[in-house]
Amino acid sequence: MKYQSTRGFEKGISFKEVLLNGLAKDGGLYVPEKFEKFTMAQISKFKNLEYYQLAFETTYQFVASDISETAYFEICKKTYSNFSKDKILTINKLEKNEFILNLYHGPTMAFKDFALQLLGNIYDYFLKKDNLRLTIIGATSGDTGSAAIAGCLRSKLVQMFILFPYKKVSEIQRKQMTTIYDPNLHNIAIEGNFDDCQNLVKKMFEMNNKEKKLRLAAVNSINWVRIMGQIVYYFWSYLRCCDSEEEINFSVPTGNFGNVYAGFIAKRMGIPIKKLVVSSNVNDVLTRFFNSGRMEMFKTVKTLSPSMDIQVSSNFERLLFNYFPNEKKGVNKFYKQLKDNGKFLVDKSILNKILKEFCGGKINDLETKQNIKNIYEKYNIIIDPHTSVGICVGRNNISCEEKKIFLATAHYGKFIETIRASLDKDVQLPNSLKSLIKKEEKYEIMSNEIDAIASFVLSKNNF
């Protein structure tokens, strides 16, 4: 399998190059040139596999050119042994056709553990094999940072720089990053929002592609392995909630579009998904696109679901590429317009094609809190604010007769103050999070300036 850039100027790229490059040299994101689609008969045979076995069966094709079957099988087995014992995933049933897929049983209690534990082990495989050292830079709106640290920093061949928006992540999310002391870890609070952090990361790659001062790699969902690792639980949940060939809908709380794009790939690989519901808070750049075909950046608003406080959804570029695969400058043109003018518009014919597979909606903070309360009172289940958005928007867009799965993307304890306020109840933190509260933190506070960030990274570089 080979990969190509969404901007159309790179093709025939190996998996190893994709892994170590992060961002394509032309500024685009890597996607497979083609991949296998499973038959329903093949998918049905996956049902009784252990999760790590399912991960191997569904994703080996993406790495096969550079990792042997034996080595990758061991990587998958090692990856998911780091989750809660016997609870890699769980499912709650709400109504007859409604299920919650709980994705928070990993080491940092967020769905991003599924891909970042895998990414860390794949990095470690290549670094040891080729005697390399790697500088990882990432931006986080809340959960990516801690999941990346837990997944990648175990390797002594890695140093990490994690950028997060100052005062715009929850206390628990921040402390999951800043209470980890390691000479190879540098947490940086940026005076700005997540989009600023993400833009700084992309600029670092652009600068490094020109001068090659660092062996730089990415942990954000611009890295293809982040998408690859999230495909698996769409297969797993379908096999447990549906009969063979039965259609399913997934409602996904999303900001950067990576999690829901993984569902799109799962559909391309054979899962009979009817609709993917893109669920947003008031930072509704995606909902506005689905309503108009216009991608336009507005000012980011701070909400109770901070991991979705985003106005530039990076992985949407991968989706658009699906509709412009033969136009070398199709996606490139749109993202130049976005950079220059803060917006672009796709033809109605393309929008209609997208709407056959996606729909979107949004709710505000008041609705988020009310839905947290409603779910608790009716089902005795506590959900985090992002999951609340996904359930509410999913119900608003998919009829009660249709089967649907809501993705629970994080443990409620990461947003404990919102939960207590929503339920008017002193909900306790789980012990694994409670221990963070009194720990001392270490992080830098820096301005939103690429020159300052680049100088800091180079000054702390000990590789």
Side-chain angles (χ1 to χ4, degrees), residues 338-356:
L338 188 67
K339 183 179 180 180
D340 293 344
N341 306 315
K343 59 186 176 182
F344 65 77
L345 180 69
V346 303
D347 291 341
K348 191 172 182 179
S349 60
I350 298 297
L351 178 61
N352 288 337
K353 289 180 181 178
I354 294 173
L355 291 177
K356 289 179 180 179

Side-chain angles (χ1 to χ4, degrees), residues 19-117:
L19 178 76
L20 296 178
N21 289 352
L23 194 69
K25 293 181 178 65
D26 59 12
L29 307 184
Y30 290 116
V31 291
E33 291 184 355
K34 60 181 179 179
F35 49 84
E36 178 185 0
K37 180 176 181 179
F38 298 107
T39 65
M40 280 308 306
Q42 289 174 307
I43 292 171
S44 296
K45 290 179 180 178
F46 294 156
K47 185 169 185 177
N48 295 320
L49 297 179
E50 295 289 338
Y51 192 82
Y52 73 89
Q53 295 171 323
L54 179 64
F56 172 81
E57 294 291 343
T58 53
T59 65
Y60 180 65
Q61 60 175 304
F62 297 109
V63 309
S65 61
D66 294 280
I67 308 178
S68 70
E69 286 191 32
T70 302
Y72 189 63
F73 187 84
E74 289 303 316
I75 286 171
C76 291
K77 189 173 183 178
K78 179 182 178 182
T79 293
Y80 299 106
S81 65
N82 201 26
F83 283 60
S84 298
K85 188 177 181 181
D86 300 325
K87 283 188 176 181
I88 294 175
L89 302 93
T90 56
I91 292 174
N92 295 122
K93 189 172 183 178
L94 300 181
E95 300 299 327
K96 178 183 177 183
N97 290 316
E98 292 183 336
F99 303 88
I100 300 178
L101 176 63
N102 298 310
L103 298 171
Y104 49 70
H105 297 298
T108 71
M109 298 186 171
F111 79 96
K112 301 189 179 184
D113 288 321
F114 283 88
L116 282 161
Q117 288 288 310

Side-chain angles (χ1 to χ4, degrees), residues 2-220:
K2 296 293 184 181
Y3 293 79
Q4 59 190 325
S5 169
T6 52
R7 303 288 172 93
F9 295 94
E10 282 191 75
K11 292 185 178 180
I13 308 299
S14 71
F15 172 76
K16 182 180 175 181
E17 290 176 290
V18 166
L19 178 76
L20 296 178
N21 289 352
L23 194 69
K25 293 181 178 65
D26 59 12
L29 307 184
Y30 290 116
V31 291
E33 291 184 355
K34 60 181 179 179
F35 49 84
E36 178 185 0
K37 180 176 181 179
F38 298 107
T39 65
M40 280 308 306
Q42 289 174 307
I43 292 171
S44 296
K45 290 179 180 178
F46 294 156
K47 185 169 185 177
N48 295 320
L49 297 179
E50 295 289 338
Y51 192 82
Y52 73 89
Q53 295 171 323
L54 179 64
F56 172 81
E57 294 291 343
T58 53
T59 65
Y60 180 65
Q61 60 175 304
F62 297 109
V63 309
S65 61
D66 294 280
I67 308 178
S68 70
E69 286 191 32
T70 302
Y72 189 63
F73 187 84
E74 289 303 316
I75 286 171
C76 291
K77 189 173 183 178
K78 179 182 178 182
T79 293
Y80 299 106
S81 65
N82 201 26
F83 283 60
S84 298
K85 188 177 181 181
D86 300 325
K87 283 188 176 181
I88 294 175
L89 302 93
T90 56
I91 292 174
N92 295 122
K93 189 172 183 178
L94 300 181
E95 300 299 327
K96 178 183 177 183
N97 290 316
E98 292 183 336
F99 303 88
I100 300 178
L101 176 63
N102 298 310
L103 298 171
Y104 49 70
H105 297 298
T108 71
M109 298 186 171
F111 79 96
K112 301 189 179 184
D113 288 321
F114 283 88
L116 282 161
Q117 288 288 310
L118 180 63
L119 177 61
N121 287 322
I122 294 176
Y123 272 145
D124 196 49
Y125 169 81
F126 281 111
L127 296 181
K128 288 177 177 176
K129 182 173 179 284
D130 298 338
N131 193 28
L132 300 174
R133 292 173 181 266
L134 201 62
T135 298
I136 291 175
I137 186 164
T140 183
S141 56
D143 292 323
T144 293
S146 57
I149 292 166
C152 301
L153 202 61
R154 287 171 296 175
S155 173
K156 299 306 178 186
L157 300 173
V158 163
Q159 63 177 353
M160 298 186 70
F161 296 84
I162 300 296
L163 282 58
F164 64 93
Y166 185 47
K167 294 184 178 181
K168 291 183 175 69
V169 300
S170 78
E171 180 185 15
I172 293 293
Q173 286 178 313
R174 187 186 73 246
K175 287 191 172 184
Q176 282 187 306
M177 298 182 283
T178 60
T179 59
I180 296 173
Y181 309 115
D182 189 296
N184 288 336
L185 173 63
H186 304 278
N187 286 298
I188 308 170
I190 299 296
E191 293 175 325
N193 54 42
F194 170 74
D195 292 317
D196 296 322
C197 297
Q198 185 166 247
N199 190 44
L200 288 168
V201 168
K202 289 182 177 181
K203 285 182 178 178
M204 278 294 298
F205 275 95
E206 290 168 3
M207 291 170 65
N208 199 61
N209 282 339
K210 294 176 182 177
E211 300 181 27
K212 291 293 180 186
K213 291 183 177 181
L214 300 168
R215 184 176 292 279
L216 204 60
V219 289
N220 282 78

Side-chain angles (χ1 to χ4, degrees), residues 104 109 172 376 381-384 411-438:
Y104 49 70
M109 298 186 171
I172 293 293
Y376 178 71
I381 296 171
I382 303 178
I383 56 174
D384 89 291
H411 191 280
Y412 66 81
K414 301 183 85 163
F415 312 94
I416 196 64
E417 295 305 324
T418 297
I419 301 305
R420 288 168 177 164
S422 301
L423 302 182
D424 193 22
K425 182 178 179 178
D426 187 22
V427 179
Q428 294 299 303
L429 281 169
N431 290 334
S432 58
L433 296 180
K434 191 180 295 184
S435 63
L436 293 173
I437 298 300
K438 294 183 180 180

